[in-house]
């Protein structure tokens, strides 16, 4: 308990009282908070956790996306003269703005505040990354590198003095006795989150999210009120920081592959209503974790379901503990069916591999993998529901 109380005080002090020239420190803690939420099975394993800076940088793409709109930029700090030139408020602004330029060209329209979520999740999944134009991919990668470099500043100066809360990031291959988030590579430069601090983020996730957004809104409004950039009200900043996407990019590929399985005689069962889905049954592709809550198009999060229930009852809610218990054998059956598909067998393992660290499986069709994956998904759903106090059905 003392460690928990101390860690909570550290987080609160950084968010509310640390000196800030930009919103970097706020963004750092919010990113750590989101990583803790996204990888719950690391908590079960215990120990300090290594988080690649590129994973935190991916979170920053989503947070800073609306502030880097090339048509309506919103400054996140002062601009100063350096060598006779006016510097940007953020070291990576030009890089992230260029990503938006390429994104708008690709989407053939203006960007929404939440489009950064779509792009981040698309870039995390190799098969989706291949669907984007090379210029967009190159701009995104350059932005991730620039943001990862920038992250060194808030990591160094969080708390009193330097390196007082976080140690200097190191390559994963040089770290001992740590647990790395799924998808980490030996060459990744990583921030190590001490186990007590990780558990504090887990227990106070909703509070940290709310306080981070509150302080971010106040800071941005204050910067604008000092004559830096265009006037902006905290309510507008709140809207930008909390916007969540609809499904702008349809799940055509996934649905076509499920249709092929159905035409071959494979049967699915809706996990929530037990409706049997055959080649002649209307169905929807349901996001177990709703897009409005946590926009993930990874295959484990997509299951055939009864369309009316999905649209009018489940919507943006999460299943209850009891409903998940009853749905578990049906989720196992869905994941077993995906392994029967020439097209989906690889992606279901690939997508599970970038999310869940505890899964052990081979490249063969494995019922144990489907069972373990269903268990991991259920733990994630319960974790998100409890951490963010989500309404359940």
């Amino acid at each position: 308990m003392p460690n928990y109380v101390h860690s909570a005080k550290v987080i609160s002090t950084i968010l509310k009282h640390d000196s800030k020239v930009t919103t970097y420190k706020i963004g750092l803690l919010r990113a750590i908070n989101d990583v803790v939420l996204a990888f719950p099975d690391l908590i079960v394993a215990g120990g300090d956790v290594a988080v690649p800076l590129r994973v935190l940088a991916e979170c920053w793409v989503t947070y800073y996306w609306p502030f880097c709109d090339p048509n309506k930029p919103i400054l996140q700090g002062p601009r100063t003269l350096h060598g006779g030139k006016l510097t940007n408020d953020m070291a990576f602004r030009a890089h992230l703005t260029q990503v938006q330029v390429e994104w708008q060209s690709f989407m053939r329209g203006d960007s929404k505040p939440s489009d950064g979520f779509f792009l981040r999740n698309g870039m995390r999944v190799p098969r989706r990354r291949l669907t984007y134009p090379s210029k967009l991919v190159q701009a995104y990668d350059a932005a991730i590198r620039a943001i990862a470099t920038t992250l060194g500043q808030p990591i160094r100066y969080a708390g009193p003095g330097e390196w007082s809360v976080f140690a200097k990031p190191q390559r994963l291959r040089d770290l001992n006795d740590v647990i790395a988030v799924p998808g980490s590579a030996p060459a990744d430069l990583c921030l190590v989150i001490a186990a007590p601090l990780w558990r504090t983020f887990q227990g106070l996730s909703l509070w940290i999210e709310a306080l981070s957004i509150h302080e971010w809104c106040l800071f941005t409004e204050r910067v604008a009120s000092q004559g830096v950039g265009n006037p902006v009200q905290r309510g507008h900043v709140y809207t930008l920081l909390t916007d969540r996407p609809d499904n702008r990019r349809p799940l055509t590929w996934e649905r076509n592959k499920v249709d092929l399985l159905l035409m071959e005689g494979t049967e699915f069962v809706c996990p929530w209503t037990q409706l049997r889905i055959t080649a002649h049954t209307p169905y929807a592709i349901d996001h177990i974790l709703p897009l409005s809550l946590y926009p993930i198009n990874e295959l484990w999060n997509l299951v055939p379901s009864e369309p009316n229930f999905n649209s009018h009852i489940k919507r943006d809610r999460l299943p209850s503990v009891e409903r998940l218990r009853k749905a578990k054998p049906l989720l196992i059956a869905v994941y077993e069916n995906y392994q029967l598909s020439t097209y989906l067998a690889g992606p279901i393992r690939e997508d599970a591999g970038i999310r869940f660290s505890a899964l052990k499986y081979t490249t063969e069709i494995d019922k144990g993998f489907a069972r373990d994956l269903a268990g991991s998904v259920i733990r994630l759903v319960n974790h998100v529901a409890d951490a963010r106090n989500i309404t359940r059905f």
Side-chain angles (χ1 to χ4, degrees):
M1 182 62 71
N3 281 339
Y4 187 88
V5 173
H6 173 71
S7 296
K9 185 176 180 180
V10 167
I11 294 169
S12 176
T13 299
I14 293 172
L15 289 175
K16 293 183 66 68
H17 303 299
D18 262 18
S19 60
K20 300 178 181 70
V21 179
T22 69
T23 51
Y24 290 170
K25 291 182 183 179
I26 302 171
L28 172 63
L29 293 192
R30 190 183 181 197
I32 294 171
N33 195 42
D34 274 348
V35 170
V36 172
L37 187 72
F39 301 106
D41 54 341
L42 295 178
I43 300 164
V44 177
D48 297 346
V49 180
V51 181
L53 296 189
R54 61 174 174 79
V55 173
L56 298 173
E58 289 168 359
C59 294
W60 275 28
V61 167
T62 67
Y63 309 152
Y64 285 101
W65 185 270
F67 304 123
C68 293
D69 187 320
N71 301 312
K72 295 171 289 184
I74 298 176
L75 298 186
Q76 296 293 286
R79 304 180 69 186
T80 58
L81 282 173
H82 183 72
K85 294 183 178 180
L86 193 61
T87 63
N88 277 317
D89 54 319
M90 299 184 296
F92 56 87
R93 175 175 286 280
H95 292 87
L96 192 51
T97 300
Q98 185 59 37
V99 178
Q100 287 225 33
V101 170
E102 299 298 339
W103 172 258
Q104 291 180 19
S105 174
F106 172 60
M107 296 299 291
R108 298 180 182 177
D110 292 337
S111 172
K112 293 180 60 179
S114 56
D115 278 355
F117 283 98
F118 269 124
L119 186 57
R120 179 193 69 174
N121 290 316
M123 290 293 182
R124 276 181 57 82
V125 180
R127 69 179 182 281
R128 291 187 179 278
R129 183 182 172 93
L130 292 173
T131 66
Y132 293 121
S134 59
K135 285 187 177 180
L136 176 57
V137 173
Q138 291 166 8
Y140 179 85
D141 289 345
I144 291 295
R145 290 192 296 270
I147 295 171
T149 299
T150 303
L151 275 161
Q153 194 263 0
I155 291 171
R156 181 174 183 171
Y157 294 106
E162 299 180 26
W163 311 116
S164 61
V165 175
F166 304 106
K168 188 175 182 179
Q170 297 184 59
R171 302 290 175 187
L172 180 58
R173 60 173 170 252
D174 298 326
L175 294 169
N176 298 313
D177 302 321
V178 297
I179 305 159
V181 301
S184 300
D188 281 338
L189 194 61
C190 294
L191 173 67
V192 175
I193 312 296
L197 189 58
W198 184 276
R199 288 192 290 269
T200 301
F201 275 100
Q202 176 199 13
L204 298 178
S205 180
L206 182 61
W207 173 77
I208 294 169
E209 171 78 357
L211 183 58
S212 297
I213 292 174
H214 174 73
E215 293 298 322
W216 203 319
C217 293
L218 293 181
F219 183 92
T220 303
E221 183 183 57
R222 186 164 59 249
V223 166
S225 71
Q226 294 169 350
V228 181
N230 297 319
V232 61
Q233 299 297 316
R234 70 186 70 171
H236 179 59
V237 180
Y238 178 85
T239 300
L240 297 177
L241 289 171
T242 57
D243 188 53
R244 289 297 180 269
D246 53 18
N247 199 7
R248 291 185 72 183
R249 299 197 71 191
L251 302 170
T252 306
W253 185 86
E254 290 82 358
R255 189 177 182 94
N256 284 343
K257 304 320 175 207
V258 170
D259 285 344
L260 284 174
L261 281 171
L262 291 171
M263 288 187 287
E264 292 168 356
T266 303
E267 184 177 272
F268 288 86
V269 178
C270 172
W272 321 123
T273 67
Q274 291 75 54
L275 172 73
R276 307 188 81 81
I277 299 172
T278 68
H280 306 291
T281 309
Y283 71 94
I285 295 291
D286 173 40
H287 289 80
I288 301 174
L289 283 173
L291 278 174
S292 59
L293 171 66
Y294 212 99
I296 297 175
N297 280 333
E298 293 159 22
L299 189 54
W300 57 264
N301 196 40
L302 307 174
V303 296
S305 67
E306 197 274 306
N308 185 67
F309 187 89
N310 183 51
S311 299
H312 301 291
I313 299 177
K314 181 178 184 292
R315 295 181 299 176
D316 59 351
R317 298 187 294 170
L318 290 175
S320 66
V321 173
E322 177 60 20
R323 196 178 282 272
L324 283 169
R325 184 187 67 80
K326 292 180 178 179
K328 184 174 182 178
L330 302 178
L331 289 174
I332 293 173
V334 170
Y335 299 145
E336 287 178 346
N337 284 345
Y338 287 168
Q339 290 189 95
L340 296 174
S341 167
T342 303
Y343 304 100
L344 298 179
I348 188 62
R349 297 186 188 95
E350 184 179 77
D351 289 6
I354 63 176
R355 183 64 55 180
F356 304 108
S357 63
L359 292 176
K360 306 294 182 185
Y361 55 90
T362 67
T363 56
E364 303 297 326
I365 294 176
D366 183 359
K367 291 188 176 181
F369 163 69
R371 180 194 63 240
D372 293 345
L373 176 56
S376 293
V377 170
I378 288 171
R379 284 193 296 274
L380 175 58
V381 171
N382 283 325
H383 175 64
V384 171
D386 292 342
R388 295 295 171 92
N389 195 26
I390 304 300
T391 303
R392 307 179 79 160
F393 65 89

